[in-house]
Amino acid sequence: MTAKPRTRTRTRTRTRAPALDRRLLLLLALTCAVAVGNLYFAQALTPLAAAGLGVTPDAAALAVTATQVGYAAGNFLLVPLGDRLPHRRLLATLLGLTGLGLLAAGLAPTLPVLAAASGAAGLTSVAAPVIGPLAAGLVAPDRRGEVSGMLAGGAIGGMLLSRAFGGALAEGLGWRAPYLVAAVVILFLAWVLTRTLPATPPPTAPAGSYLALLAGTLQLLCTEAELRRSGFYQATVFAGFSAVWTGLALLLTGPAYGLGPSAVGLFALVGAATMVCTPLAGRLTDRHGPDPVNLICLLGTLASAPVLAAGTCGGTVGLVALVLGTLLLDVAMQCGMVANTTRVLGLRDDARSRLTTAYMTCAYLGGSAGSWLGAHAWDVAGWPGVCGLLAVCATAALLRHAAVLTGRRQAAR
């Protein structure tokens, strides 16, 4: 009696796979770019918003903080609903609410209203982690890496380009313009997706209350060893990544280089190369599995530490080292995320959204810890201390990966 339902489930998965054609995949990647960009474009508007609202720049930065806090809450509170609700309806609702929040932010008469609207928009700007499980259910398992790589490329593009979009538009039309334009774009995408996304039934998540659904996210961390492993890899690498970018701002604006804050933003554009690399990492993951890709990415992360350490030389040599080091680190971190995401999404078809929430929570906790540790490493040992912290993080992940591979070889004998 149990074999027949499994056969029907596999057949249904195969017939549904062609629903995600190239055009729809590009549309979903664009949606990820716009949704992720909503979290970052306001960073370029702080001085203009402060002048427009008659507050200090430090106070105006509250809107940016509210957006980030809202996004963190949305990942935990809203993304798990993807295991209970039809994806098309959930995604359209989230995008619609985000558009309304951005519209309210663009029309905000005071800073408290702007901060509240920004927080609400950040709360619902979780389209990217909702789209990942949706797309994984629309393709065959041997294409999930490719799809994860395309979606990651879109998210990276949105993160990198949104600041330039926000700054350029605000300089010409005022600080409210980026909010209003972003609201129109995301509301239009919500309408397009309601007409193009295939109707998919909600996953067969276990019945229970909403609180039980949230608790299931934590339970998965206890029961799924591969989820814990993927979360550990990403947490350690993201911690090193965050530490480097925390220290890099201090290095570039310090006496060694004496550059302005805009130089840090230009360095961030180095990460644009990852938009090309993540789809390749996805295809390699489909072909060889996540573990070999993880190994290459962890070795790349470790190798970036001595390259970045050469940045203490200053001058042209130091700048070249910093560019090459940040490029290697960005590519390794983002491609490793593709491999980890592919592994996580393949664990349980009925819990992809909760698995995504648990994994992303581990990643962001690691990133937050890395920023704090990076600042302290700078205080204690300067830029070499930050690079040493990156090496420690990468080594910890490599040791865990080596232990897994060794255990598998011994079990195979």
Side-chain angles (χ1 to χ4, degrees), residues 103-118:
L103 183 63
L107 300 175
T110 63
L111 178 60
V113 175
L114 175 61
S118 297

Side-chain angles (χ1 to χ4, degrees), residues 64-400:
V64 177
T65 302
T67 302
Q68 300 294 336
V69 171
Y71 181 71
N75 264 282
F76 186 77
L77 297 175
L78 300 181
V79 173
L81 291 173
D83 289 336
R84 189 68 63 82
L85 302 176
H87 283 117
R88 183 171 66 181
R89 186 175 70 189
L90 175 61
L91 186 57
T93 300
L94 290 173
L95 291 173
L97 292 173
T98 300
L100 293 177
L102 291 170
L103 183 63
L107 300 175
T110 63
L111 178 60
V113 175
L114 175 61
S118 297
L123 179 72
T124 55
S125 290
V126 291
V130 170
I131 286 173
L134 161 66
L138 293 175
V139 297
D142 60 358
R143 283 194 62 209
R144 285 177 184 159
E146 174 193 354
V147 168
S148 295
M150 288 290 293
L151 297 179
I156 294 165
M159 179 176 62
L160 294 175
L161 299 177
S162 61
R163 295 184 183 94
F165 154 79
L169 201 59
E171 285 184 8
L173 300 175
W175 70 270
R176 298 180 187 273
Y179 286 103
L180 299 177
V181 171
V184 172
V185 170
I186 206 159
L187 288 172
F188 176 72
L189 280 174
W191 176 78
V192 171
L193 287 172
T194 59
R195 301 179 65 86
T196 56
L197 272 181
T200 56
T204 55
S209 66
Y210 170 67
L211 291 179
L213 185 69
L214 296 184
T217 299
L218 301 177
Q219 291 171 356
L220 287 169
L221 277 172
C222 298
T223 59
E224 298 290 342
E226 291 294 88
L227 171 61
R228 293 195 300 273
R229 179 162 74 102
S230 298
F232 179 75
Y233 291 164
Q234 199 60 39
T236 51
V237 172
F238 198 28
F241 176 87
S242 299
V244 164
W245 281 98
T246 298
L248 185 63
L250 298 171
L251 176 67
L252 291 176
T253 57
Y257 291 96
L259 300 176
S262 60
V264 182
L266 291 176
F267 260 84
L269 294 179
V270 171
T274 57
M275 296 173 61
V276 178
C277 296
T278 50
L280 174 60
R283 290 192 291 270
L284 290 174
T285 301
D286 287 335
R287 187 176 304 170
H288 303 290
D291 283 346
V293 177
N294 273 138
L295 179 59
I296 294 171
C297 292
L298 292 175
L299 289 173
T301 302
L302 181 60
S304 70
V307 178
L308 286 165
T312 55
C313 297
T316 303
V317 173
L319 281 175
V320 170
L322 292 175
V323 169
L324 294 177
T326 52
L327 175 61
L328 181 57
L329 177 59
D330 282 8
V331 170
M333 194 272 288
Q334 296 290 357
C335 291
M337 178 172 278
V338 171
N340 291 325
T341 301
T342 304
R343 181 189 294 111
V344 167
L345 291 176
L347 293 177
R348 283 179 53 179
D349 291 351
D350 65 328
R352 290 194 186 107
S353 294
R354 283 168 292 162
L355 288 165
T356 299
T357 295
Y359 168 69
M360 294 303 295
T361 299
C362 292
Y364 277 97
L365 286 175
S368 300
S371 296
W372 183 80
L373 290 172
H376 282 270
W378 174 271
D379 290 338
V380 173
W383 182 242
V386 174
C387 296
L389 176 61
L390 171 63
V392 169
C393 292
T395 300
L398 273 169
L399 290 174
R400 177 76 176 90

Side-chain angles (χ1 to χ4, degrees), residues 24-35 131 150-151 154 185 189:
L24 182 54
L25 178 56
L26 290 175
L27 177 61
L28 291 176
L30 175 63
T31 305
C32 288
V34 174
I131 286 173
M150 288 290 293
L151 297 179
V185 170
L189 280 174

